[in-house]
Amino acid sequence: MKLIIFDLDGTLLDTLQDLGDSCNAILQRYGYPTHPLSAYKKFVGNGVQKLIERALPENARSENIITTLLTAFKAYYEQKPVSHTKPYTGIMPLLEELKSSGYLISVASNKYHEAVIPLIEHYFPTIAFDLVLGHRTGHPAKPDPDIVLETLRTLSIAKENCYYVGDSSVDMDTANNAAVTAIGVTWGFREENELRQHGAQHIIHHPQELSAIV
Protein backbone atom coordinates (compact mmCIF):
# COMPACT_ATOMS: atom_id res chain seq x y z
CA MET A 1 0.00 0.00 0.00
CA LYS A 2 1.20 3.47 -0.91
CA LEU A 3 -1.71 5.84 -0.24
CA ILE A 4 -4.18 6.27 2.63
CA ILE A 5 -7.15 8.55 1.89
CA PHE A 6 -9.02 9.86 4.92
CA ASP A 7 -12.49 11.24 5.33
CA LEU A 8 -12.46 14.40 7.48
CA ASP A 9 -15.54 14.84 9.71
CA GLY A 10 -15.91 11.91 12.08
CA THR A 11 -12.61 10.38 10.99
CA LEU A 12 -9.80 12.91 11.49
CA LEU A 13 -11.76 15.68 13.21
CA ASP A 14 -14.58 15.62 15.72
CA THR A 15 -16.68 18.42 14.24
CA LEU A 16 -20.12 17.30 15.38
CA GLN A 17 -20.89 19.92 18.03
CA ASP A 18 -19.76 22.88 15.92
CA LEU A 19 -21.78 21.58 12.96
CA GLY A 20 -24.82 20.98 15.15
CA ASP A 21 -24.55 24.31 16.94
CA SER A 22 -24.21 26.15 13.63
CA CYS A 23 -27.14 24.38 12.03
CA ASN A 24 -29.34 24.94 15.09
CA ALA A 25 -28.45 28.64 15.11
CA ILE A 26 -29.59 28.98 11.49
CA LEU A 27 -32.74 26.93 12.04
CA GLN A 28 -33.62 29.12 15.00
CA ARG A 29 -32.90 32.29 13.03
CA TYR A 30 -35.45 31.27 10.39
CA GLY A 31 -38.05 29.96 12.83
CA TYR A 32 -37.58 26.20 12.40
CA PRO A 33 -37.27 23.60 15.19
CA THR A 34 -33.76 22.76 16.38
CA HIS A 35 -32.36 19.29 17.13
CA PRO A 36 -30.37 17.57 19.88
CA LEU A 37 -26.72 16.98 19.10
CA SER A 38 -27.28 13.22 18.81
CA ALA A 39 -29.56 13.78 15.79
CA TYR A 40 -26.72 15.35 13.85
CA LYS A 41 -24.83 12.04 13.80
CA LYS A 42 -27.39 10.94 11.20
CA PHE A 43 -27.71 14.30 9.45
CA VAL A 44 -24.03 14.71 8.51
CA GLY A 45 -22.00 12.75 5.98
CA ASN A 46 -23.42 13.79 2.61
CA GLY A 47 -22.34 17.43 2.53
CA VAL A 48 -23.84 20.58 4.01
CA GLN A 49 -26.74 20.88 1.55
CA LYS A 50 -27.98 17.45 2.60
CA LEU A 51 -27.36 18.42 6.25
CA ILE A 52 -29.66 21.45 5.88
CA GLU A 53 -32.26 19.39 4.03
CA ARG A 54 -32.33 16.70 6.73
CA ALA A 55 -32.49 19.26 9.55
CA LEU A 56 -35.50 21.06 8.04
CA PRO A 57 -39.08 19.87 8.57
CA GLU A 58 -40.27 17.85 5.58
CA ASN A 59 -42.79 20.52 4.57
CA ALA A 60 -40.01 23.15 4.41
CA ARG A 61 -37.59 21.30 2.14
CA SER A 62 -38.12 23.43 -0.95
CA GLU A 63 -35.17 24.39 -3.12
CA ASN A 64 -35.48 28.08 -2.20
CA ILE A 65 -35.56 27.45 1.54
CA ILE A 66 -32.66 25.01 1.41
CA THR A 67 -30.59 27.45 -0.65
CA THR A 68 -31.33 30.34 1.72
CA LEU A 69 -30.40 28.37 4.82
CA LEU A 70 -27.36 26.84 3.14
CA THR A 71 -25.96 30.30 2.35
CA ALA A 72 -26.64 31.45 5.90
CA PHE A 73 -25.09 28.29 7.36
CA LYS A 74 -21.86 28.67 5.40
CA ALA A 75 -21.47 32.30 6.47
CA TYR A 76 -22.16 31.43 10.11
CA TYR A 77 -19.94 28.32 10.19
CA GLU A 78 -16.99 30.07 8.54
CA GLN A 79 -17.13 32.98 11.01
CA LYS A 80 -17.93 30.95 14.14
CA PRO A 81 -15.01 30.14 16.45
CA VAL A 82 -14.51 26.38 16.14
CA SER A 83 -14.58 26.04 19.89
CA HIS A 84 -15.40 22.33 20.05
CA THR A 85 -13.73 20.91 16.94
CA LYS A 86 -10.58 18.86 17.58
CA PRO A 87 -8.61 15.94 16.13
CA TYR A 88 -9.59 12.61 17.61
CA THR A 89 -7.20 11.17 20.18
CA GLY A 90 -4.37 9.37 18.43
CA ILE A 91 -4.86 10.95 15.01
CA MET A 92 -1.83 13.25 15.09
CA PRO A 93 0.63 10.47 16.07
CA LEU A 94 -0.89 8.24 13.38
CA LEU A 95 -0.48 10.83 10.63
CA GLU A 96 3.07 11.59 11.72
CA GLU A 97 3.92 7.89 11.71
CA LEU A 98 2.43 7.34 8.26
CA LYS A 99 4.36 10.27 6.79
CA SER A 100 7.62 9.22 8.41
CA SER A 101 7.10 5.71 7.02
CA GLY A 102 6.83 7.07 3.48
CA TYR A 103 3.10 6.73 2.86
CA LEU A 104 1.14 9.30 0.88
CA ILE A 105 -1.81 10.66 2.85
CA SER A 106 -4.74 12.69 1.59
CA VAL A 107 -8.19 13.96 2.56
CA ALA A 108 -11.40 13.41 0.57
CA SER A 109 -14.39 15.06 2.24
CA ASN A 110 -18.00 15.86 1.45
CA LYS A 111 -17.61 19.10 3.43
CA TYR A 112 -17.40 21.98 0.98
CA HIS A 113 -13.82 22.64 -0.10
CA GLU A 114 -13.70 26.23 1.15
CA ALA A 115 -14.29 24.99 4.70
CA VAL A 116 -11.96 21.97 4.48
CA ILE A 117 -8.77 23.89 3.70
CA PRO A 118 -8.76 26.22 6.74
CA LEU A 119 -9.65 23.32 9.06
CA ILE A 120 -6.71 21.29 7.77
CA GLU A 121 -4.36 24.27 8.04
CA HIS A 122 -5.53 25.07 11.58
CA TYR A 123 -5.61 21.60 13.11
CA PHE A 124 -2.83 19.87 11.18
CA PRO A 125 -0.21 22.58 10.58
CA THR A 126 2.70 20.15 10.84
CA ILE A 127 1.22 17.44 8.61
CA ALA A 128 2.16 17.61 4.93
CA PHE A 129 -0.89 16.10 3.28
CA ASP A 130 -0.19 15.13 -0.32
CA LEU A 131 -3.66 16.24 -1.45
CA VAL A 132 -6.70 17.75 0.28
CA LEU A 133 -10.05 17.81 -1.48
CA GLY A 134 -13.47 18.85 -0.26
CA HIS A 135 -16.70 18.92 -2.22
CA ARG A 136 -16.54 21.37 -5.13
CA THR A 137 -19.19 22.70 -7.47
CA GLY A 138 -19.40 20.59 -10.59
CA HIS A 139 -18.16 17.44 -8.87
CA PRO A 140 -20.48 14.74 -7.53
CA ALA A 141 -20.49 14.14 -3.79
CA LYS A 142 -19.56 10.87 -2.13
CA PRO A 143 -20.56 8.04 -2.38
CA ASP A 144 -19.80 8.78 -6.02
CA PRO A 145 -16.16 7.65 -6.41
CA ASP A 146 -15.11 10.79 -8.33
CA ILE A 147 -13.13 12.35 -5.46
CA VAL A 148 -11.20 9.12 -4.82
CA LEU A 149 -10.52 8.52 -8.50
CA GLU A 150 -9.30 12.10 -8.89
CA THR A 151 -6.96 11.58 -5.94
CA LEU A 152 -5.58 8.39 -7.47
CA ARG A 153 -4.97 10.13 -10.80
CA THR A 154 -3.38 13.19 -9.22
CA LEU A 155 -1.01 11.16 -7.06
CA SER A 156 -0.40 8.47 -9.73
CA ILE A 157 -1.47 5.60 -7.47
CA ALA A 158 -3.21 2.41 -8.58
CA LYS A 159 -6.47 1.37 -6.90
CA GLU A 160 -4.91 -1.74 -5.43
CA ASN A 161 -2.32 0.40 -3.62
CA CYS A 162 -4.86 2.55 -1.75
CA TYR A 163 -6.84 2.42 1.49
CA TYR A 164 -9.85 4.63 2.12
CA VAL A 165 -10.60 5.35 5.80
CA GLY A 166 -13.94 6.71 6.99
CA ASP A 167 -16.64 6.55 9.66
CA SER A 168 -19.90 6.16 7.74
CA SER A 169 -21.82 4.12 5.18
CA VAL A 170 -21.15 6.94 2.71
CA ASP A 171 -17.42 6.38 3.10
CA MET A 172 -17.63 2.60 2.78
CA ASP A 173 -19.82 2.95 -0.33
CA THR A 174 -17.35 5.48 -1.76
CA ALA A 175 -14.41 3.13 -1.25
CA ASN A 176 -16.23 0.19 -2.78
CA ASN A 177 -17.50 2.26 -5.71
CA ALA A 178 -13.88 3.27 -6.38
CA ALA A 179 -12.65 -0.33 -5.93
CA VAL A 180 -10.20 0.57 -3.15
CA THR A 181 -9.89 -1.10 0.25
CA ALA A 182 -12.49 0.22 2.73
CA ILE A 183 -11.52 0.73 6.37
CA GLY A 184 -14.26 1.73 8.79
CA VAL A 185 -13.56 3.57 12.06
CA THR A 186 -15.84 3.33 15.09
CA TRP A 187 -14.84 6.55 16.91
CA GLY A 188 -16.82 8.77 14.54
CA PHE A 189 -20.49 9.49 13.94
CA ARG A 190 -21.91 6.08 12.94
CA GLU A 191 -22.15 2.54 14.31
CA GLU A 192 -19.94 -0.47 13.52
CA ASN A 193 -22.92 -2.42 12.20
CA GLU A 194 -23.54 0.24 9.54
CA LEU A 195 -19.93 0.09 8.42
CA ARG A 196 -20.03 -3.69 8.08
CA GLN A 197 -23.33 -3.64 6.20
CA HIS A 198 -21.80 -1.24 3.67
CA GLY A 199 -18.75 -3.33 2.90
CA ALA A 200 -16.00 -2.32 5.33
CA GLN A 201 -13.10 -4.70 4.71
CA HIS A 202 -11.47 -3.73 8.01
CA ILE A 203 -12.88 -2.19 11.20
CA ILE A 204 -10.67 -0.28 13.63
CA HIS A 205 -11.53 1.15 17.04
CA HIS A 206 -8.46 3.35 17.62
CA PRO A 207 -6.24 5.23 15.15
CA GLN A 208 -3.17 3.22 16.10
CA GLU A 209 -4.85 0.05 14.86
CA LEU A 210 -4.42 1.35 11.32
CA SER A 211 -0.66 0.90 11.66
CA ALA A 212 -1.11 -2.83 12.07
CA ILE A 213 -3.12 -2.99 8.83
CA VAL A 214 -0.83 -0.93 6.64
Side-chain angles (χ1 to χ4, degrees):
M1 289 296 175
K2 298 178 180 179
L3 168 65
I4 298 94
I5 304 175
F6 291 93
D7 172 51
L8 183 61
D9 297 61
T11 302
L12 295 180
L13 286 178
D14 182 355
T15 56
L16 190 67
Q17 184 160 349
D18 282 319
L19 286 170
D21 289 350
S22 297
C23 195
N24 278 341
I26 298 307
L27 290 170
Q28 189 173 41
R29 180 188 299 176
Y30 285 88
Y32 296 109
T34 59
H35 304 278
L37 187 62
S38 58
Y40 283 96
K41 288 187 174 183
K42 294 294 186 182
F43 292 169
V44 301
N46 293 86
V48 290
Q49 181 166 330
K50 186 61 71 172
L51 165 62
I52 296 298
E53 180 181 328
R54 289 168 175 162
L56 280 166
E58 286 191 27
N59 62 2
R61 294 174 183 174
S62 70
E63 183 177 347
N64 286 343
I65 293 173
I66 291 171
T67 299
T68 297
L69 267 68
L70 177 62
T71 301
F73 173 90
K74 286 182 176 181
Y76 185 93
Y77 185 71
E78 290 168 15
Q79 295 169 9
K80 177 185 184 295
V82 283
S83 51
H84 301 286
T85 295
K86 59 186 181 299
Y88 287 100
T89 301
I91 285 295
M92 286 297 291
L94 171 66
L95 296 177
E96 290 166 353
E97 178 184 342
L98 292 173
K99 288 300 293 184
S100 66
S101 299
Y103 290 100
L104 301 178
I105 59 173
S106 71
V107 172
S109 174
N110 263 349
K111 185 190 289 290
Y112 59 105
H113 189 74
E114 294 79 8
V116 169
I117 297 301
L119 285 173
I120 292 293
E121 291 175 347
H122 180 77
Y123 288 102
F124 304 103
T126 63
I127 304 297
F129 285 97
D130 295 280
L131 185 65
V132 175
L133 295 176
H135 182 250
R136 294 149 296 157
T137 302
H139 290 261
K142 299 183 299 183
D144 189 285
D146 177 79
I147 195 169
V148 171
L149 300 179
E150 180 180 352
T151 299
L152 294 172
R153 289 193 304 269
T154 301
L155 298 178
S156 300
I157 299 295
K159 294 178 180 180
E160 58 268 23
N161 299 130
C162 174
Y163 286 125
Y164 184 91
V165 183
D167 71 301
S168 72
S169 59
V170 172
D171 296 311
M172 300 304 97
D173 290 343
T174 301
N176 287 305
N177 290 340
V180 302
T181 301
I183 300 178
V185 309
T186 61
W187 58 78
F189 303 157
R190 304 294 177 85
E191 302 297 326
E192 180 175 346
N193 187 51
E194 176 182 315
L195 301 171
R196 293 193 182 279
Q197 289 178 349
H198 286 262
Q201 291 157 275
H202 301 274
I203 297 287
I204 59 176
H205 306 285
H206 186 277
Q208 208 55 42
E209 293 178 30
L210 184 60
S211 301
I213 296 173
V214 302

